[in-house]
Amino acid sequence: MKTIAVMQPYFLPYIGYFQLMAAVDKFVLFDDVNFIKRGWINRNRLLLNGVPHTFTAPLRGASQNRLICEIELDDERSWREKLLRTIRQAYGKAPCYAQASSLMENLIHYPSSRLDEFLLNGLCEVARYLSLEVEIVSTSRIYENAHLKGQERILDICRQEQAHVYINPIGGVGLYDRARFSQQGLRLDFLRSRPVSYAQGKGEHVAGLSMMDVLMFNEPTAARRLLAEMDLV
C-alpha cells in the first residue's frame, strides 16, 4: 500500500508537518505553485525568552505572482549568521542544543540561493536526523502537470506514483472528495494531530512552534514518539 502526501515546502515547519511526512512513503513538495506572502514558506516561530518569536529567511523579488521555485534568497544580508545567533540565544541552555544546533547550522548554511532548493534540503535534513523512511521530491522537477488544478492535480500525481492512499492534513477535509478518489482506486485519509506537549524549561508549554523547538528539547527517539501523536480519519 503506497502512501503519498503533497504539501507546499516550508521553512522548519511545525510538528504536524513532520507527522504527515512520517505517515507516508513519498512526500511531494508543491514548489511550482504561487508564493504566498506572510505565510509559512520562508518563516516560522521559535521560543525566545518564553514567548514566540518569528524568524525569517529573507527573499529577493518575492511576489504572489511568482512560483516558489522562481524565488531566490536574499544573500546580500547576513541573515544566516544572525539567525544562528538568535537560535543560540533562544536554546543555548536547552538539553539537546549541542546535537540539534549542528543540524540547524548545516541546513541554514546550505549553499544555495534558490528558495526551493533551500527548503527541500532543510526538510530532507530534518527527515534524516529523525531517521524517517520517506522519499521527498519536488513537483517542479517531475510531474509536468502544473496545468491541472486542485484535486485533479493531486489525483494525477497519485496516478503517476501508482499510489494506493493519499493523506492530507485535516484542515483540507473540505477540499477533497472521497468518492472521486475512490473512483480512481485511491483511499483518502486525513491526518488529525493530537495535542503535543513537552518540557520547554520554565513556564507552561507553548504550542505551534517550529519543529526546531521540538528538537531542542527532545532527542531524536523522543521526537519520533511525538510524531506518532496523531490519528488518520
Side-chain angles (χ1 to χ4, degrees):
M1 295 285 287
K2 184 176 184 180
T3 56
I4 190 170
V6 180
M7 289 288 288
Q8 291 185 11
Y10 296 136
F11 185 25
L12 289 167
Y14 79 122
I15 190 171
Y17 192 100
F18 290 96
Q19 288 177 329
L20 182 63
M21 188 181 290
V24 299
D25 302 307
K26 196 158 195 174
F27 195 84
V28 179
L29 297 178
F30 252 163
D31 66 356
D32 56 354
V33 295
N34 286 74
F35 176 79
I36 300 173
K37 282 191 173 182
R38 293 178 293 279
W40 298 106
I41 294 172
N42 67 315
R43 67 188 188 118
N44 217 287
R45 302 188 308 161
L46 52 76
L47 192 64
L48 182 62
N49 298 324
V51 297
H53 171 82
T54 300
F55 62 89
T56 304
L59 306 176
R60 184 164 56 239
S63 166
Q64 295 190 160
N65 296 319
R66 300 179 66 190
L67 305 181
I68 296 170
C69 59
E70 296 174 337
I71 294 174
E72 293 188 348
L73 296 166
D74 185 357
D75 272 338
E76 293 182 1
R77 306 183 189 182
S78 56
W79 67 270
R80 298 180 197 247
E81 286 299 332
K82 181 180 178 181
L83 176 54
L84 289 170
R85 288 195 299 270
T86 300
I87 292 171
R88 184 165 56 251
Q89 179 184 356
Y91 297 112
K93 295 181 180 179
C96 303
Y97 174 78
Q99 185 175 0
S101 63
S102 295
L103 168 69
M104 294 301 122
E105 185 168 350
N106 287 339
L107 67 86
I108 289 169
H109 275 305
Y110 182 67
S112 176
S113 61
R114 286 182 49 168
L115 177 62
D116 60 333
E117 292 180 348
F118 177 78
L119 297 177
L120 171 62
N121 176 74
L123 294 169
C124 289
E125 287 272 5
V126 175
R128 281 192 291 269
Y129 183 82
L130 294 171
S131 300
L132 301 185
E133 296 181 0
V134 60
E135 182 182 2
I136 305 173
V137 298
S138 300
T139 54
S140 64
R141 296 168 174 80
I142 297 178
Y143 300 106
E144 298 182 351
N145 62 2
H147 60 286
L148 298 175
K149 303 300 178 185
Q151 178 172 271
E152 293 308 310
R153 191 173 185 197
I154 296 294
L155 287 167
D156 185 66
I157 291 173
C158 290
R159 178 188 61 79
Q160 292 190 47
E161 290 291 348
Q162 298 182 318
H164 303 93
V165 181
Y166 176 72
I167 305 178
N168 199 79
I170 193 69
V173 69
L175 301 177
Y176 300 105
D177 178 8
R178 274 201 165 105
R180 180 78 176 101
F181 276 75
S182 183
Q183 289 171 3
Q184 302 299 312
L186 287 159
R187 191 178 83 213
L188 173 61
D189 287 343
F190 292 95
L191 185 147
R192 180 169 55 205
S193 298
R194 303 172 196 155
V196 171
S197 182
Y198 50 88
Q200 294 169 315
K202 299 178 181 179
E204 296 184 1
H205 177 77
V206 179
L209 302 176
S210 162
M211 188 66 183
M212 180 199 310
D213 188 82
V214 177
L215 300 180
M216 291 294 175
F217 293 105
N218 297 273
E219 295 283 351
T221 52
R224 284 197 300 273
R225 287 195 294 270
L226 293 177
L227 295 184
E229 292 297 314
M230 59 84 183
D231 298 291
L232 296 177
V233 297

